[in-house]
Amino acid sequence: VAAVMHTGLGEALHRRFADGDEFSGHCYRAAVTRVEKDHRPQMIDRAAAIAERFLRAGAEIVVVSNSSPEKLTTWFRHAGISGIRVRGHAAKFELDGSPEIRTIAGRPVRLDRPRYRAALLEERPDFVMGDVFSLDLALPASLGIETVLIENPYTPEWSRQAVAATPGARRVSSVE
């Protein structure tokens, strides 16, 4: 991979950001803000019926997300969903720089996600569902929590392989 650096750009970045992790977090938040501005809230089809079925069965649903709680509660309200507890600003993308990396399905996956780890340890979920193995599921799986990969048309093959190689992990194409 070749990098093209504008003269003085590196110095400017170092003045503004403590390190690459802080810079990548800034880029992530800026991209999310732009997407949220350009797209109205949407939930998957039948989300309210699916949530209602889980809640009727006695499940406590806690959504742990990088998004703000306000954004998520607006989306749920828009979809007619109530009874879900929201923990926003999970910062799953924030890394602490520790060498906590596991090779899963031939890929290095970072597990040093301190805010997400704290949320998982506090919530102590029976299982975690997510659509991104490395971001949503690798850390809970490493803590011995059952994980469920929700596949979509863009799920990479390595994620399917990672689920197959991870004890307590499975994959579904729908949560219905």
Side-chain angles (χ1 to χ4, degrees), residues 135-162:
L135 192 65
D136 298 324
L137 305 177
L139 176 58
S142 76
L143 297 171
I145 300 168
E146 183 179 339
T147 57
V148 180
L149 174 67
I150 305 168
E151 293 181 311
N152 60 54
Y154 309 104
T155 301
E157 183 57 32
W158 84 266
S159 291
R160 291 181 181 94
Q161 294 169 359

Side-chain angles (χ1 to χ4, degrees), residues 14-173:
H14 286 293
R15 281 193 302 274
R16 181 160 180 201
F17 303 101
D19 56 29
D21 288 341
E22 184 179 335
F23 174 65
S24 68
H26 168 78
C27 292
Y28 173 84
R29 286 185 291 277
V32 167
T33 299
R34 184 174 298 163
V35 168
E36 289 174 350
K37 180 180 158 224
D38 296 339
H39 300 282
R40 63 186 280 284
Q42 295 179 347
M43 299 292 290
I44 62 170
D45 292 339
R46 300 173 310 284
I50 294 166
E52 181 62 31
R53 191 169 33 223
F54 276 106
L55 293 167
R56 259 197 326 268
E60 177 186 14
I61 301 173
V62 180
V63 174
V64 178
S65 173
N66 292 327
S67 296
S68 74
E70 299 79 20
K71 172 189 164 183
L72 293 170
T73 54
T74 298
W75 281 31
F76 291 139
R77 187 174 48 255
H78 178 75
I81 299 171
S82 61
I84 293 177
R85 194 159 52 84
V86 173
R87 286 188 67 145
H89 303 299
K92 297 176 192 177
F93 55 86
E94 283 186 10
L95 307 171
D96 69 9
S98 71
E100 194 173 359
I101 299 173
R102 294 226 176 113
T103 300
I104 305 172
R107 289 190 177 245
V109 178
R110 296 201 49 182
L111 302 176
D112 57 330
R113 303 174 188 282
R115 289 179 55 185
Y116 185 35
R117 179 184 300 272
L120 290 167
L121 294 174
E122 185 176 315
E123 292 295 339
R124 299 190 170 286
D126 293 325
F127 65 93
V128 174
M129 299 177 84
D131 63 346
V132 179
F133 182 85
S134 57
L135 192 65
D136 298 324
L137 305 177
L139 176 58
S142 76
L143 297 171
I145 300 168
E146 183 179 339
T147 57
V148 180
L149 174 67
I150 305 168
E151 293 181 311
N152 60 54
Y154 309 104
T155 301
E157 183 57 32
W158 84 266
S159 291
R160 291 181 181 94
Q161 294 169 359
V163 168
T166 302
R170 61 190 170 108
R171 58 185 211 199
V172 297
S173 58

